[in-house]
């Protein structure tokens, strides 16, 4: 009975697993039934083991993938933090660059102002080229201003002021390129204020020191006029004769020749 029960259970198990054992199971021997059951069990066990192995592989793969995803999330978080830090540094650098550009612009503006101020100061003190009675010369700027102020006074008819300025000029700027012209115009300023005696002295000093000066003929004619005003007709005639002899082709010599007729 025990054996029959075993065979019956094996037959039922075979049917439940899809076997094709039919009603003729009774024809199998106990050994054959036992062998079939063992074989079937082995097959079930193999399937179960394969399923377990596959499940284990899938679990391991899932764990590995989860670990990789976790590491990736961590890396992305770190990268995002680095990017935020870089953005902060870039913003800081931009701010520094903008401040630096403002500082450079301000420094350049100050340098330009200083340079302009220095140039202005240098222009006020550096010598300048001038033309004096057709001759070029280099003079100091204050020297030029002093001379031009004295000449402006003559042109304005202020002969007293001009005499004072020209006298001061000659004492202050000894050896100036304006010296000869200053003497000439001093004589004219003295003549203008009717100080004929001093005018004669000034014109003589001019002619003696600058006989080749283009205004020397004019100075001799002005000297003769001053002598005539001083009631010295003889001296005036001698001066005009000197003028016509020394500078025969000058306009002053022609004017002196005409002037002789009126000097008595």
């Amino acid at each position: 009975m025990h054996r029959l029960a075993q065979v019956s259970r094996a037959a039922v198990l075979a049917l439940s697993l899809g076997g094709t054992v039919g009603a003729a199971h009774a024809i199998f021997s106990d050994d054959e039934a036992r062998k079939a059951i063992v074989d079937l069990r082995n097959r079930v066990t193999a399937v179960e083991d394969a399923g377990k192995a596959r499940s284990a592989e899938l679990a391991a793969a899932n764990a590995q993938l989860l670990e990789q995803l976790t590491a990736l999330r961590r890396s992305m978080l770190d990268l995002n933090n680095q990017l935020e830090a870089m953005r902060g540094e870039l913003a800081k650098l931009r701010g520094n660059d903008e401040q630096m550009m403002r500082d450079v612009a301000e420094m350049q503006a100050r340098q330009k102002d200083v340079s302009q101020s220095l140039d202005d100061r240098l222009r006020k003190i550096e010598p300048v080229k001038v033309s004096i009675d057709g001759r070029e010369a280099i003079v100091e700027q204050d020297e030029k201003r002093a001379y031009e102020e004295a000449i402006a006074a003559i042109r304005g008819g202020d002969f007293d002021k001009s005499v004072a300025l020209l006298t001061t000029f000659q004492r202050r700027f000894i050896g100036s390129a304006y010296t000869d012209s200053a003497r000439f115009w001093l004589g004219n300023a003295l003549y203008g204020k009717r100080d004929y005696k001093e005018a004669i002295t000034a014109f003589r000093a001019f002619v003696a020191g600058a006989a080749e000066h283009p205004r020397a003929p004019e100075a001799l004619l002005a000297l003769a006029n001053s002598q005539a005003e001083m009631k010295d007709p003889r001296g005036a005639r001698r001066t005009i004769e000197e003028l016509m002899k020394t500078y025969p082709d000058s306009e002053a010599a022609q004017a002196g020749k005409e002037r002789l007729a009126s000097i008595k």
Side-chain angles (χ1 to χ4, degrees):
M1 293 294 293
H2 177 70
R3 291 182 179 177
L4 182 58
Q6 288 181 339
V7 172
S8 297
R9 284 196 298 271
V12 172
L13 179 61
L15 289 175
S16 65
L17 294 176
T20 57
V21 181
H25 60 277
I27 64 174
F28 289 104
S29 65
D30 291 341
D31 291 336
E32 289 177 346
R34 189 181 296 111
K35 183 178 179 181
I37 291 171
V38 170
D39 182 61
L40 184 58
R41 285 178 178 174
N42 290 337
R43 289 171 60 187
V44 171
T45 300
V47 171
E48 290 178 349
D49 291 342
K52 291 178 181 180
R54 182 58 179 169
S55 297
E57 291 177 359
L58 291 174
N62 288 335
Q64 185 178 7
L65 182 59
L66 180 60
E67 183 179 354
Q68 292 175 352
L69 287 174
T70 302
L72 181 59
R73 290 193 185 97
R74 188 180 300 111
S75 298
M76 291 182 66
L77 181 60
D78 292 341
L79 181 59
N80 186 63
N81 292 334
Q82 293 176 10
L83 289 174
E84 289 298 324
M86 290 179 65
R87 290 190 185 99
E89 289 296 326
L90 286 174
K92 185 177 180 180
L93 288 174
R94 289 193 188 99
N96 291 339
D97 288 344
E98 291 174 359
Q99 182 61 46
M100 186 179 296
M101 290 177 66
R102 286 193 294 270
D103 292 342
V104 170
E106 184 178 352
M107 184 181 299
Q108 289 175 340
R110 287 200 301 267
Q111 183 178 5
K112 183 178 180 180
D113 292 341
V114 170
S115 179
Q116 183 64 44
S117 177
L118 180 60
D119 289 343
D120 292 341
R121 292 180 182 179
L122 288 175
R123 278 195 293 270
K124 290 179 180 179
I125 64 175
E126 66 183 0
V128 293
K129 181 184 290 187
V130 296
S131 178
I132 306 172
D133 296 320
R135 299 175 181 177
E136 289 189 348
I138 302 297
V139 300
E140 300 296 332
Q141 294 203 33
D142 56 347
E143 180 182 359
K144 178 175 179 288
R145 284 192 294 270
Y147 175 80
E148 290 178 346
E149 183 181 2
I151 298 304
I154 292 179
R155 291 172 178 167
D158 192 345
F159 300 114
D160 290 332
K161 180 179 179 181
S162 181
V163 168
L165 290 173
L166 287 169
T167 301
T168 301
F169 180 91
Q170 292 183 84
R171 287 198 301 265
R172 182 182 176 188
F173 300 103
I174 298 174
S176 169
Y178 286 112
T179 296
D180 292 337
S181 292
R183 288 174 179 170
F184 174 78
W185 289 111
L186 176 60
N188 281 276
L190 290 166
Y191 186 90
K193 63 180 293 190
R194 298 182 180 182
D195 188 349
Y196 303 116
K197 183 178 179 180
E198 292 299 324
I200 290 171
T201 300
F203 284 128
R204 279 178 175 166
F206 170 73
V207 174
E212 300 300 323
H213 195 280
R215 292 189 181 275
E218 296 178 46
L220 281 175
L221 181 59
L223 173 57
N225 289 332
S226 298
Q227 291 170 325
E229 294 291 345
M230 288 288 294
K231 308 304 180 183
D232 182 11
R234 183 179 297 180
R237 284 194 293 271
R238 283 199 302 267
T239 300
I240 291 175
E241 289 171 359
E242 180 185 354
L243 168 60
M244 292 188 296
K245 180 181 179 180
T246 307
Y247 308 101
D249 298 327
S250 65
E251 293 182 4
Q254 182 62 36
K257 184 177 180 180
E258 296 173 359
R259 181 80 170 85
L260 277 175
S262 62
I263 296 176
K264 296 180 181 180

